[in-house]
Amino acid sequence: MTHPRYPKATAPSTAPSWSALTAHQQVISNQPIADLFTRDPNRAETYSLNAAGIHLDFAKNRIDDAGMTLLCQLAKERGLAERIKAMYQGEAINSTEKRQVLHVALRSQLGDLPEHLRDVDAVIAQMTQFVTAVHTGQWRGFTGETITDVVNIGIGGSDLGPNMVTQALTPFHKAGIRAHFVSNVDASDLCETLKALNPARTLFIVASKTFTTTETLTNANSARQWLLATLADEAAVAKHFVAVSVNLEKVKAFGIDANNIFPMWDWVGGRYSLWSAIGLPIALACGMDHFNALRAGAAAMDEHFANAAFEQNLPVIMAMLGVWYINFWGAESQAILAYDHYLNAFTKYIQQLDMESNGKGAYLHGGYLEHHTGPVIWGEVGTNGQHSFHQLLHQGTRFVPADFIVSLTSHNPLSEHHSQLFANCLSQSRALMLGKSEAQAAAEFSAMGYSADEAKQLAHHKVMPGNRPSNTLVVESLNPKTLGALIALYEHKVFVQSVIWGINAFDQWGVELGKQLCSEIHPALVSSAAAESFDPSTNALMALYKSVNQ
Ligand SMILES: O=P(O)(O)OC[C@H]1O[C@](O)(CO)[C@@H](O)[C@@H]1O
């Protein structure tokens, strides 16, 4: 990466531990992970930590004590302790947007909040009242029917978090109410969702921090038309639409009753907002008690993150191992492999959290980076991924660190399903670590009856290099509390990495250009005039669209 300006002063490579880590990587690069267990019989124990109901086993990593010490030293040299304090104390650490970053305040337990954040309690109280009213049938639709279906209309942080958590907490859903999520401007998303719904029993939540997001406003307008097509009275909107936003004026202009607005604040980033009223669909699906337990789980992780020494700090350890692989081993991606079907949407959620936060190329105080930042996040629930892309994890030429996530117990204890699932999870991390040597592979072919020559030749195709690192995160049970802690763990991991890299994890200017261009392209696309003012490729593709749509 070559950029014209590069301020050496803020580069992480100027930290004394950086060059020591570069040298240490050379020392350790030929060391099999399995040998680290031989050298240190207590490794499984010493490379495991527990906090907020989460057990982290990071023993299957290409790191030793000296390396861990250097990584923690790097965190210290980059001023991590001060940055954590600055975030918790409400300094405007989102400096490019001049904003505080206070998602941590959203999970403070009631009564804990300083004066200027008391609004959080007020919104939680408003949510509690509303959720109770919907659940008890006190809140009814325009024709007097109770609400059976809630449709959250939002995108990005106003969709991925609540959507993922609502799915993950399916075993905790209340009977009689279903949550749906519409995010895509593709009408198929909205139309397919509405197909099975009765307008008289449907409540829409328009979730948009800014209330300017085109996809959300387009979907909300179409949802309102769908509602009014049946209920045929503008007054129905007040009984079927609520909104969550910072932008109260824009919500009112849309026609949503002032009493139906759940406020949020500019100090909550979209991808960190599921703890605010953006979590309303979670609370409606599961009840306020479970929503508060989710917040409490996150609060327990917040406390651990703020107080534990770096050497025992789960988010710090995971973040520094990520830095180790990205900046010293050349890893370009990170697999998130949840062995829990309820975490089906977890990787997608982490994609926004990590990639929108740390997909950056400039230093916090200006100047371009000369080192890599956030990885490509990808993955799928186990065991499904095993029959799809794990081939690449095991034998591909790429180096992909993986996080395995698994529960000790199942919400559906059916015959041997859970033991099979758990065994598969352990087998994958073990296979990644151990691999298979050429001699082992050849012996397997010989045992199958191949000649010595054939066995030798075919062996290459069965060789697995091994030494592919992974973390394993274990919870006793996937419940609101452990899920809250798990999400907060990843939030803080991402923040720690941003501090090491010297970037701002809390802005997202990179998404703006596409929005700007769309505001130019869309009017030209629907105009009858030929599009000629764009690049030739774009002009030609617009002409193609117009040839069938006009
Ligand atoms: O809640 P809003 O303002 O509609 O924004 C939705 C999403 O759009 C983004 O700005 C990116 O396009 C995300 O950061 C945000 O979560």
Side-chain angles (χ1 to χ4, degrees):
M1 288 194 296
T2 49
H3 282 297
R5 289 182 293 126
Y6 160 46
K8 294 248 185 274
T10 54
S13 55
T14 57
S17 54
W18 193 273
S19 45
L21 280 160
T22 307
H24 194 66
Q25 193 273 344
Q26 292 295 309
V27 172
I28 208 174
S29 62
N30 290 322
Q31 191 128 64
I33 302 173
D35 285 4
L36 298 170
F37 284 95
T38 317
R39 266 180 24 197
D40 175 6
N42 295 322
R43 183 175 170 89
E45 205 182 305
T46 48
Y47 282 69
S48 288
L49 290 169
N50 292 291
I54 296 186
H55 175 86
L56 166 67
D57 176 335
F58 58 106
K60 294 189 186 84
N61 275 292
R62 303 194 73 165
I63 195 81
D64 59 3
D65 294 354
M68 281 312 307
T69 303
L70 285 171
L71 287 172
C72 290
Q73 196 182 315
L74 175 62
K76 286 170 200 156
E77 288 165 1
R78 295 298 285 167
L80 178 60
E82 293 75 29
R83 298 300 289 169
I84 296 173
K85 209 179 277 170
M87 177 168 78
Y88 278 58
Q89 289 180 348
E91 281 180 34
I93 63 165
N94 176 359
S95 52
T96 57
E97 294 182 317
K98 297 190 169 59
R99 286 180 185 160
Q100 298 171 292
V101 176
L102 280 170
H103 49 278
V104 163
L106 291 169
R107 45 274 178 142
S108 285
Q109 299 307 283
L110 292 176
D112 278 348
L113 294 169
E115 195 62 39
H116 71 290
L117 295 173
R118 289 283 152 81
D119 277 7
V120 171
D121 287 354
V123 173
I124 292 289
Q126 186 190 356
M127 287 173 73
T128 308
Q129 201 179 22
F130 180 71
V131 168
T132 310
V134 171
H135 288 167
T136 56
Q138 193 193 330
W139 177 288
R140 285 172 187 257
F142 185 61
T143 55
E145 310 253 24
T146 53
I147 300 297
T148 53
D149 292 88
V150 174
V151 181
N152 188 78
I153 298 179
I155 196 164
S158 301
D159 166 70
L160 291 163
N163 193 346
M164 179 276 286
V165 173
T166 303
Q167 264 191 64
L169 298 183
T170 301
F172 301 86
H173 283 190
K174 282 192 108 59
I177 191 144
R178 288 173 296 271
H180 313 265
F181 292 84
V182 171
S183 55
N184 200 333
V185 75
D186 184 338
S188 307
D189 194 2
L190 181 69
C191 294
E192 286 299 332
T193 304
L194 297 183
K195 251 182 197 169
L197 304 188
N198 173 359
R201 288 175 162 266
T202 300
L203 175 78
F204 292 98
I205 304 171
V206 186
S208 177
K209 180 179 167 182
T210 56
F211 226 77
T212 58
T213 305
T214 318
E215 292 93 327
T216 300
L217 297 183
T218 305
N219 276 323
N221 272 313
S222 298
R224 182 165 58 183
Q225 277 171 28
W226 172 82
L227 183 92
L228 293 178
T230 308
L231 300 183
D233 190 332
E234 277 289 335
V237 173
K239 287 282 154 204
H240 293 270
F241 273 81
V242 300
V244 185
S245 187
V246 171
N247 199 338
L248 308 189
E249 291 317 309
K250 279 225 163 11
V251 179
K252 284 184 217 154
F254 178 86
I256 291 179
D257 198 292
N259 296 321
N260 296 355
I261 304 175
F262 294 82
M264 60 189 289
W265 311 270
D266 72 356
W267 46 258
V268 193
R271 52 195 174 273
Y272 300 87
S273 66
L274 70 90
W275 322 96
S276 71
I278 290 289
L280 193 58
I282 306 170
L284 283 163
C286 305
M288 212 54 202
D289 287 356
H290 291 313
F291 184 67
N292 285 331
L294 182 84
R295 293 168 63 228
M301 183 55 73
D302 295 340
E303 192 172 337
H304 166 77
F305 177 53
N307 298 316
F310 290 169
E311 292 75 9
Q312 268 100 49
N313 195 310
L314 265 68
V316 174
I317 299 283
M318 284 183 63
M320 296 315 295
L321 286 168
V323 167
W324 176 231
Y325 295 128
I326 290 163
N327 299 117
F328 300 90
W329 293 74
E332 293 187 336
S333 75
Q334 164 76 53
I336 309 276
L337 310 168
Y339 277 63
D340 192 313
H341 207 73
Y342 290 123
L343 289 177
N344 217 348
F346 191 72
T347 304
K348 219 157 107 167
Y349 163 76
I350 298 291
Q351 271 177 343
Q352 188 205 16
L353 174 65
D354 199 319
M355 294 167 80
E356 203 174 65
S357 296
N358 285 346
K360 305 285 165 64
Y363 283 105
L364 197 54
H365 307 294
Y368 301 108
L369 307 179
E370 83 346 329
H371 56 278
H372 279 297
T373 53
V376 175
I377 300 286
W378 60 291
E380 166 65 292
V381 284
T383 57
N384 295 1
Q386 290 176 206
H387 300 273
S388 160
F389 55 77
H390 280 225
Q391 164 65 37
L392 180 146
L393 292 179
H394 290 295
Q395 284 191 311
T397 53
R398 318 238 169 216
F399 179 76
V400 187
D403 285 352
F404 290 89
I405 303 169
V406 69
S407 306
L408 296 180
T409 55
S410 170
H411 289 288
N412 299 290
L414 181 66
S415 75
E416 290 195 331
H417 286 259
H418 195 64
S419 53
Q420 293 257 18
L421 180 76
F422 202 87
N424 269 282
C425 177
L426 298 188
S427 310
Q428 290 299 312
S429 60
R430 189 168 150 76
L432 285 169
M433 172 176 71
L434 295 181
K436 185 175 282 182
S437 69
E438 214 170 298
Q440 282 172 314
E444 285 179 10
F445 280 116
S446 299
M448 287 160 73
Y450 286 90
S451 72
D453 275 357
E454 282 173 322
K456 194 164 179 249
Q457 202 191 346
L458 283 170
H460 290 186
H461 300 280
K462 265 203 177 189
V463 165
M464 293 161 67
N467 285 318
R468 302 201 162 176
S470 66
N471 294 313
T472 304
L473 292 152
V474 187
V475 292
E476 187 176 333
S477 147
L478 183 67
N479 59 41
K481 242 180 150 168
T482 52
L483 180 64
L486 184 68
I487 299 168
L489 165 59
Y490 276 94
E491 286 179 346
H492 295 319
K493 173 200 157 174
V494 166
F495 171 59
V496 171
Q497 293 186 330
S498 74
V499 173
I500 304 303
W501 290 323
I503 58 177
N504 183 3
F506 302 107
D507 62 13
Q508 56 285 315
W509 301 102
V511 301
E512 294 306 323
L513 179 60
K515 290 183 192 173
Q516 273 167 22
L517 295 184
C518 196
S519 72
E520 293 163 19
I521 288 180
H522 184 252
L525 190 68
V526 294
S527 142
S528 53
E532 283 163 354
S533 57
F534 303 94
D535 61 274
S537 164
T538 305
N539 286 340
L541 290 167
M542 287 168 81
L544 198 58
Y545 177 88
K546 287 173 191 239
S547 71
V548 297
N549 285 293
Q550 282 182 353

